[in-house]
Amino acid sequence: MCATCGCDDHSHEQGGGVVIDLEERLLARNDHLAGHIRDWLASIGVRSYNLMSSPGSGKTTLLERTVRELGLPCSVIEGDQETTFDADRIQATGVAAVQVNTGAGCHLDAVMVRKALASLDPAPGSVVFVENVGNLVCPALFDLGETGRVVILSVTEGEDKPLKYPHLVRTGDVVLLNKVDLLPYLDFSQDRFLRALRQVNPHAPLLPVSARTGEGLADWYAWLSR
Amino acid sequence: MHELSLTEGIVSTITARLGDRRVVMVRLEIGKLAGVVVDSVRFCFDVVVAGTSVEGARLEIVEPGGRALCRDCGAEFLTDDPILLCPCGSSDVEVLAGMELLIKAVEVEPDVRDVRV
């Protein structure tokens, strides 16, 4: 038997070296921790939502309004490369918020979320919003132990965004189309956007909203409370 | 650039499993639909292995192609396109292959621990 990995059913010899089969998933550590986070949150009746979008799509404005109007106890984890601006904005609403600065990192991972949750200590039955780093690429791969994934796109970004960033948009459990109050000033077709969305995500509900005016937010709150 | 943190994870996984054993080859499987840029992994690998037991190791990357099953028409089809459209036009598909993100194997220098008993 091989004393390195304990196996006895395959050859290890190759060009003088010893080949050891690992079969480890690259994201095994993140996914394992995310599983623990998910189980722990479920055990205390907390739902968490991973909000993913480009920078400037209106995530923080949406959250400022959501934590005030949802009617459920909320807390927020804010991910940004630098500054505490977003956490400051949430805290100004009276809701607890923790800022995670990723430095060179372009996404949140389960380790960062676990640490933030430890300091946030969410109340049983509450809702935790995790605002990911503004980025439509990197956050897609990283499970944060969330109950659901929220993809936020805005009308100023163009109709073809879902097709340009299919990996991330595909993972959304719900898609918010924000800033619809600006539609009268843009050549944005909601039909073309919906067609693009359905090519990468056939089922997620699409909720047109304006975090600024409040239009459509009742549907968002209904989705969160379902 | 999530490839940097992925690649850091590769090295920490290997060192956690094998301690300070000198690694001369790392074989990864990165599916073509996984959303990971292989060239970026190669670039990051050379950076993150510096000063570890994996430094200088040869990196072999196998890239399985994508295969999916259409939930609408039932056809199985091959695609490496991240926009997963069945030839019938449906995007309601289940990915069967191409999402792999695995450390398949490593090659280490032989030492006394490999003596078969």
Side-chain angles (χ1 to χ4, degrees):
Chain A
M1 187 179 83
C2 166
T4 301
C5 69
C7 73
D8 56 7
D9 61 352
H10 55 270
S11 167
H12 293 300
E13 304 303 326
Q14 181 180 312
V18 178
V19 175
I20 300 169
D21 292 337
L22 290 184
E23 294 290 339
E24 285 258 17
R25 285 177 303 120
L26 259 60
L27 289 164
R29 290 155 80 98
N30 186 81
D31 292 351
H32 179 78
L33 183 53
H36 280 301
I37 292 171
R38 186 170 284 111
D39 291 346
W40 175 66
L41 290 175
S43 75
I44 57 171
V46 170
R47 281 170 292 153
S48 75
Y49 296 97
N50 179 359
L51 275 62
M52 304 182 294
S53 83
S54 337
S57 66
K59 289 188 295 300
T60 312
T61 304
L62 177 78
L63 280 180
E64 283 175 309
R65 207 161 172 141
T66 301
V67 297
R68 282 198 308 259
E69 298 178 353
L70 181 61
L72 291 168
C74 299
S75 54
V76 177
I77 296 170
E78 285 286 349
D80 279 302
Q81 280 202 308
E82 201 42 83
T83 79
T84 60
F85 296 161
D86 284 359
D88 294 345
R89 285 172 59 185
I90 299 297
Q91 283 162 358
T93 69
V95 163
V98 172
Q99 182 77 49
V100 178
N101 284 136
T102 57
C106 46
H107 57 269
L108 294 177
D109 62 30
V111 175
M112 299 174 194
V113 169
R114 178 182 62 173
K115 200 170 158 200
L117 283 170
S119 107
L120 206 54
D121 194 19
S126 66
V127 179
V128 176
F129 294 101
V130 183
E131 183 180 332
N132 219 312
V133 178
N135 180 335
L136 283 176
V137 181
C138 306
L141 274 179
F142 295 85
D143 185 358
L144 306 181
E146 66 268 9
T147 312
R149 284 190 167 197
V150 181
V151 172
I152 303 165
L153 300 166
S154 57
V155 295
T156 49
E157 297 171 56
E159 301 142 348
D160 50 6
K161 263 291 167 60
L163 295 173
K164 288 178 172 174
Y165 299 94
H167 286 289
L168 187 139
V169 174
R170 183 183 305 125
T171 69
D173 296 304
V174 65
V175 176
L176 269 59
L177 179 63
N178 194 21
K179 308 189 188 181
V180 292
D181 54 306
L182 297 178
L183 281 172
Y185 310 104
L186 302 168
D187 296 324
F188 183 98
S189 157
Q190 291 196 71
D191 285 344
R192 280 199 294 269
F193 176 80
L194 183 61
R195 277 201 297 278
L197 174 65
R198 289 300 173 234
Q199 286 188 55
V200 300
N201 189 327
H203 297 306
L206 170 62
L207 309 179
V209 300
S210 167
R212 193 170 74 88
T213 67
E215 182 182 345
L217 290 182
D219 293 335
W220 161 234
Y221 302 149
W223 187 86
L224 289 169
S225 307
R226 77 206 186 288
Chain B
M1 196 59 171
H2 50 291
E3 286 80 4
L4 178 59
S5 54
L6 276 183
T7 312
E8 286 168 340
I10 293 167
V11 175
S12 62
T13 299
I14 291 170
T15 51
R17 284 278 294 266
L18 301 175
D20 59 357
R21 291 203 62 174
R22 192 92 206 145
V23 175
V24 296
M25 183 277 290
V26 174
R27 185 178 301 134
L28 306 178
E29 197 169 276
I30 298 178
K32 293 209 167 147
L33 301 177
V36 172
V37 181
V38 165
D39 284 345
S40 296
V41 172
R42 288 188 183 284
F43 176 81
C44 295
F45 186 78
D46 290 338
V47 176
V48 302
V49 297
T52 75
S53 57
V54 190
E55 183 166 359
R58 188 169 81 252
L59 184 60
E60 293 181 3
I61 302 180
V62 181
E63 297 177 75
R67 190 162 50 87
L69 174 70
C70 178
R71 293 196 186 97
D72 278 331
C73 77
E76 214 176 284
F77 61 100
L78 303 177
T79 180
D80 293 340
D81 191 328
I83 299 169
L84 292 165
L85 278 183
C86 174
C88 82
S90 172
S91 62
D92 191 1
V93 304
E94 178 189 348
V95 177
L96 303 174
M99 296 291 280
E100 299 83 356
L101 279 177
L102 288 170
I103 309 170
K104 290 295 285 181
V106 294
E107 182 179 344
V108 295
E109 288 177 345
D111 72 11
V112 68
R113 284 171 282 189
D114 298 312
V115 174
R116 284 164 190 264
V117 292

